[in-house]
Amino acid sequence: MAFGVRHMKKKKKLKEENLSLQILNKVKKIFDSKHWNYEDELSDYLGDFCRTLSILNEEEQELILMLTQKFLWIKESEYLKHFLHTFDAFISSYDFNNTKTIMLCPALPEDDFGKPKSSVDLLYKVKGRLSSLQEKYSDFNITYIDSPQFLCNVALEDTILCLIDDFVGSGETIERVKKYINDNEYSIDKLVVVSLVSMSSGKEYVKKLGIELYTNIVCEKGISGCENEETNRLIMEQIEKTIKVKDIYNFGYSQSEGLVKMIRTPNNTFPIYWLKNKQNANAPFPRS
């Protein structure tokens, strides 16, 4: 059990009485197999994960461990790599029909204008390598705008508007961006989405909007369609009752059943991982 205490640093000691040696060893094995940091300068991921498990019974702990084996954590340092893979897939397979201008734009709905969203951060990273991107895809003119609110200032003829984001969960954000474009009657013939990671359900939702979505990683729901689905759903319902999850976030926003952490954990992920409150004081991947 030593590792469970060794990485606590100055935080309060782990309540180990509810964690068996077997559970503790399984946690460490998962972290090691995924090459996750135990801690960094600001967070004690391993310790907080164990503290979160300690508020659950053994059956609930086993479910969280099973789900965590499927958990995806994309580090900020990996963003550009995933973007380049996805953008290359877009360039390679999209029917441009002689269109030569690609305008990158963060996937921001109107009520997020001016906010420090992850799509804005992704564009910032891409802008830093824009000259290299342009050199690689020299057949195209690659440009950008910092927000859909600036569409009124640019020419859109013979241009593909490429909305970029780090994560597509339910697909509702893309729908809201499209609504803003339509409400303002911007003449955009070609609209695509490039995302680092997408939920399969969100990708299908975007497809129904008539928009092509390119993504480097597609994630399936964590419980639905999996072995022991009915039993696991009941266990997760009890977990979320224990930590007092609001109805809107049951099984993740839009019941996405996500198992994803980006720079910021999407609210589509199961709340046990990110909801920090009195009942779940040590959520390992909090959103704030």
Side-chain angles (χ1 to χ4, degrees):
M1 258 192 273
F3 85 89
V5 176
R6 188 167 59 246
H7 299 282
M8 295 302 104
K9 298 185 80 173
K10 294 182 180 180
K11 290 193 174 188
K12 62 184 180 181
K13 291 184 179 180
L14 171 64
K15 295 179 180 178
E16 294 179 327
E17 65 273 12
N18 203 31
L19 290 181
S20 66
L21 179 60
Q22 181 182 22
I23 293 293
L24 288 167
N25 286 334
K26 285 183 178 180
V27 174
K28 186 176 184 296
K29 186 176 180 180
I30 291 172
F31 269 69
D32 289 345
S33 67
K34 291 179 173 292
H35 306 289
W36 288 353
N37 294 338
Y38 287 175
E39 59 192 27
D40 61 21
E41 294 80 3
L42 295 175
S43 301
D44 180 10
Y45 301 112
L46 180 64
D48 284 340
F49 189 92
C50 289
R51 293 186 191 95
T52 294
L53 286 181
S54 73
I55 68 174
L56 307 176
N57 64 39
E58 188 172 347
E59 183 179 50
E60 294 166 346
Q61 292 169 2
E62 290 289 356
L63 174 62
I64 298 306
L65 289 176
M66 183 274 288
L67 293 175
T68 304
Q69 289 174 342
K70 300 188 286 185
F71 201 95
L72 175 69
W73 182 354
I74 302 295
K75 306 293 181 59
E76 186 173 3
S77 60
E78 301 173 310
Y79 267 45
L80 192 59
K81 174 189 71 175
H82 286 287
F83 173 82
L84 293 175
H85 286 169
T86 313
F87 192 77
D88 189 67
F90 159 54
I91 293 290
S92 301
S93 60
Y94 186 76
D95 182 10
F96 288 91
N97 194 25
N98 296 320
T99 301
K100 295 298 182 181
T101 298
I102 301 171
M103 181 177 292
L104 305 177
C105 176
L108 283 175
E110 186 173 10
D111 53 355
D112 284 338
F113 289 171
K115 296 180 181 179
K117 307 297 286 187
S118 55
S119 59
V120 176
D121 186 70
L122 176 59
L123 179 62
Y124 182 81
K125 289 176 169 58
V126 174
K127 284 161 63 174
R129 301 298 299 278
L130 192 62
S131 60
S132 298
L133 194 68
Q134 179 67 78
E135 184 177 350
K136 181 176 181 178
Y137 302 107
S138 56
D139 289 341
F140 298 92
N141 172 36
I142 302 175
T143 183
Y144 68 88
I145 53 174
D146 291 314
S147 170
Q149 70 189 109
F150 302 124
L151 285 169
C152 57
N153 300 327
V154 296
L156 298 172
E157 294 78 14
D158 298 319
T159 297
I160 296 172
L161 183 64
C162 179
L163 300 177
I164 66 172
D165 209 345
D166 64 339
F167 178 75
V168 171
S170 65
E172 292 177 18
T173 292
I174 304 303
E175 182 177 33
R176 287 155 60 203
V177 177
K178 182 181 180 182
K179 182 179 185 302
Y180 173 79
I181 291 171
N182 291 341
D183 288 349
N184 286 274
E185 299 182 350
Y186 293 123
S187 180
I188 296 176
D189 295 325
K190 298 184 177 181
L191 179 66
V192 301
V193 176
V194 167
S195 177
L196 311 188
V197 180
S198 301
M199 296 298 298
S200 177
S201 53
K203 185 177 181 182
E204 287 300 312
Y205 192 89
V206 172
K207 183 179 179 180
K208 290 178 181 178
L209 297 175
I211 302 172
E212 292 190 51
L213 184 150
Y214 295 85
T215 187
N216 196 42
I217 301 174
V218 178
C219 299
E220 302 296 333
K221 292 190 172 188
I223 292 178
S224 295
C226 299
E227 188 177 0
N228 301 319
E229 176 182 343
E230 184 176 351
T231 298
N232 290 337
R233 289 188 70 86
L234 291 173
I235 297 171
M236 182 57 76
E237 286 172 2
Q238 182 56 48
I239 290 173
E240 297 193 343
K241 182 178 179 180
T242 298
I243 63 173
K244 299 189 183 304
V245 176
K246 294 180 180 179
D247 290 348
I248 191 174
Y249 296 123
N250 286 146
F251 284 53
Y253 180 77
S254 192
Q255 297 194 7
S256 298
E257 301 182 31
L259 293 166
V260 179
K261 172 174 170 49
M262 309 296 290
I263 293 178
R264 190 179 186 216
T265 308
N267 59 17
N268 307 84
T269 291
F270 286 105
I272 186 64
Y273 291 98
W274 58 264
L275 177 61
K276 194 165 185 175
N277 58 16
K278 184 177 180 180
Q279 291 73 31
N280 190 28
N282 300 109
F285 307 129
R287 285 173 51 77
S288 60

